[in-house]
Amino acid sequence: MPVRAPRDLTARLRLAEQLARRSTEGRVGDVLEPHTEVPGLYAGTPSVARTARRIPAQLHLQSPIFRHAVRLAVGVVLAEVIGRSIGGWGGLGISARGFWVALTTMLVLFPGYGHTMARGWGRATGAVLGGLFAWVLSLPHWSPAGLAVASVVLAAASFATLRTGQLMLNLWLTTWIVFLIHHVGGLPGPTAWARAADTVVGAVLAILIFLVWPTWSTRRLPGLLAEWLRVQDRLLPELLTGYADVGATDLAAVDALRARSRQVREHMEAAVEQSHAEPAGHRRPWTSTQLERIRAQVSRVAGCATLLGEHLPRTSQEIVPELTELADPLHEHLTALARAAAGAETVAPGALRSVYDSFTARSGLPAERSDGSGSAATGRAVALSAATVDAVEALTATIASRHRPGRHTAA
């Protein structure tokens, strides 16, 4: 929705300020680094209290974070058992130590399919190439000085590639570790192959665990969208009711609903991003294009809610009591739309718009005048309500295309 007035710009700036405050509250940077020479060194460290508040909220079976934590614990224990069972690969590796398999499983197994697969093949490929390179380096005889120089170079390469991806990082890290184990630890040169084999086993195990015990983002999307719509069916009617009189809206309740709306929306957007990497197209309720459209339409509805809240009447001349008639139809539509998003029923596009057209024809409310004269406040409120209805109808049309990926609905 375009910015149409300085007050609209003020609303968006205030929203940005609230989001910035939420992203920085609970930090301990000022406590930990009052005299540090490196500003911002601890600025991203969450406080213990904030973390303690978040942990209990995830302690339930429906939480993907909790399910992943349990899966990760089971996977690491299983990897440790397998690693110890493998032992030292017939004397090539470190006997009775399975930590490389367990460590790889822990570092590869992520909540999302895309990260798990990418890290799995990257670490395995890098370990194999690093093992080959380490084996080549173990062939010649090294003097103490040459050994020290080579160790420093390999360490520098490992740290230089720390954030360049799993393949390059593990190539140099494996080379460095195996080189030191062979020349300093006195283990035989083929240890390189045992190290690579442990990594491959751990990566394959992590991928298999994810496939057997998945947390598909595509399966979470309908529930997240439905939850967001349930927040809207409380927020938007509350805002429309606020136009009945000055101070008719509980601003604290509105702020709480908007904060919850933003939180659910962030989870939903993250799930949309992760779903693009998942090979689960046949299970998706919507195509990737439709998901991106839903994300844009959700943002548009949220923007309308922001402007409706900013333009709540502050004087008796700005009240528009007629808008309260829309509260119940909008609530009913959003409630049904939440059930439709979850797959429980279908909602036909156009129904809410039909109700709104009947309402405007019956009420005779004016449109906002460009010169700001006359009923500018009333016209602005009508324009905002119309934009909200349009945004909800566009979202309704896309949700209605569920399970019909070949059908493209114009938003």
Side-chain angles (χ1 to χ4, degrees):
M1 182 177 178
V3 178
R4 305 174 65 242
R7 196 168 173 179
D8 295 348
L9 179 60
T10 302
R12 295 188 181 277
L13 290 175
R14 184 174 290 110
L15 177 61
E17 180 185 3
Q18 292 173 353
L19 294 177
R21 187 180 300 114
R22 283 186 56 211
S23 66
T24 56
E25 66 181 0
R27 305 295 186 183
V28 294
D30 293 338
V31 177
L32 294 179
E33 49 168 314
H35 306 294
T36 180
E37 298 297 328
V38 186
L41 183 61
Y42 299 99
T45 306
S47 68
V48 175
R50 187 181 184 189
T51 302
R53 289 195 303 268
R54 288 185 171 186
I55 291 177
Q58 301 296 332
L59 295 179
H60 55 88
L61 294 177
Q62 289 72 32
S63 169
I65 296 178
F66 178 80
R67 294 202 303 269
H68 174 69
V70 175
R71 178 178 60 186
L72 185 61
V74 173
V76 170
V77 171
L78 180 61
E80 179 70 14
V81 172
I82 292 176
R84 287 180 177 271
S85 300
I86 292 173
W89 294 96
L92 299 180
I94 304 176
S95 61
R97 292 292 184 271
F99 58 86
W100 264 330
V101 177
L103 180 63
T104 301
T105 300
M106 181 181 67
L107 295 176
V108 168
L109 187 56
F110 263 53
Y113 172 86
H115 283 97
T116 299
M117 295 299 162
R119 295 175 71 88
W121 80 262
R123 290 190 74 90
T125 305
V128 171
L129 295 177
L132 177 62
F133 191 22
W135 175 72
V136 172
L137 292 178
S138 67
L139 295 178
H141 173 74
W142 291 86
S143 65
L147 180 63
V149 171
S151 299
V152 171
V153 170
L154 291 175
S158 300
F159 284 104
T161 57
L162 193 61
R163 301 181 66 86
T164 59
Q166 293 296 307
L167 194 154
M168 293 300 298
L169 170 62
N170 277 272
L171 189 157
W172 293 107
L173 192 61
T174 301
T175 304
W176 179 35
I177 292 175
V178 174
F179 183 79
L180 290 179
I181 288 176
H182 172 60
H183 290 282
V184 178
L187 293 178
T191 304
W193 305 118
R195 171 70 173 87
D198 284 341
T199 302
V200 171
V201 170
V204 170
L205 180 61
I207 292 173
L208 289 177
I209 291 173
F210 186 94
L211 295 177
V212 173
W213 191 352
T215 50
W216 300 110
S217 295
T218 50
R219 297 180 184 177
R220 297 178 54 219
L221 283 171
L224 289 171
L225 180 57
E227 184 179 356
W228 183 83
L229 286 167
R230 285 192 291 269
V231 176
Q232 301 310 303
D233 72 24
R234 296 171 57 195
L235 174 61
L236 291 175
E238 178 73 18
L239 291 172
L240 290 175
T241 304
Y243 282 82
D245 200 358
V246 178
T249 297
D250 185 352
L251 296 181
V254 168
D255 287 342
L257 287 172
R258 287 176 62 184
R260 179 58 183 163
S261 172
R262 182 69 187 181
Q263 184 182 41
V264 177
R265 181 180 158 197
E266 289 173 352
H267 292 321
M268 183 173 60
E269 289 182 346
V272 170
E273 288 289 342
Q274 294 174 359
S275 70
H276 293 324
E278 295 178 356
H282 61 286
R283 291 187 226 130
R284 288 182 181 179
W286 302 281
T287 65
S288 294
T289 302
Q290 290 167 338
L291 287 176
E292 288 299 326
R293 189 181 301 152
I294 286 175
R295 181 160 64 170
Q297 290 162 349
V298 163
S299 177
R300 183 182 171 193
V301 174
C304 291
T306 298
L307 295 180
L308 280 172
E310 179 63 24
H311 290 289
L312 286 170
R314 299 174 183 174
T315 65
S316 58
Q317 289 76 23
E318 294 181 342
I319 64 173
V320 190
E322 294 87 351
L323 287 184
T324 57
E325 285 188 44
L326 293 174
D328 287 340
L330 186 59
H331 167 68
E332 293 173 1
H333 184 86
L334 289 170
T335 301
L337 192 58
R339 293 196 294 266
E345 63 180 60
T346 59
V347 176
L352 181 61
R353 185 71 209 187
S354 177
V355 171
Y356 183 81
D357 290 341
S358 300
F359 157 74
T360 53
R362 182 176 64 255
S363 63
L365 290 174
E368 183 179 9
R369 300 181 181 179
S370 58
D371 59 359
S373 61
S375 304
T378 301
R380 182 174 56 242
V382 173
L384 288 175
S385 63
T388 303
V389 170
D390 289 341
V392 173
E393 279 289 4
L395 182 58
T396 302
T398 307
I399 292 176
S401 63
R402 181 189 178 99
H403 299 307
R404 293 187 292 275
R407 173 183 171 187
H408 296 281
T409 305

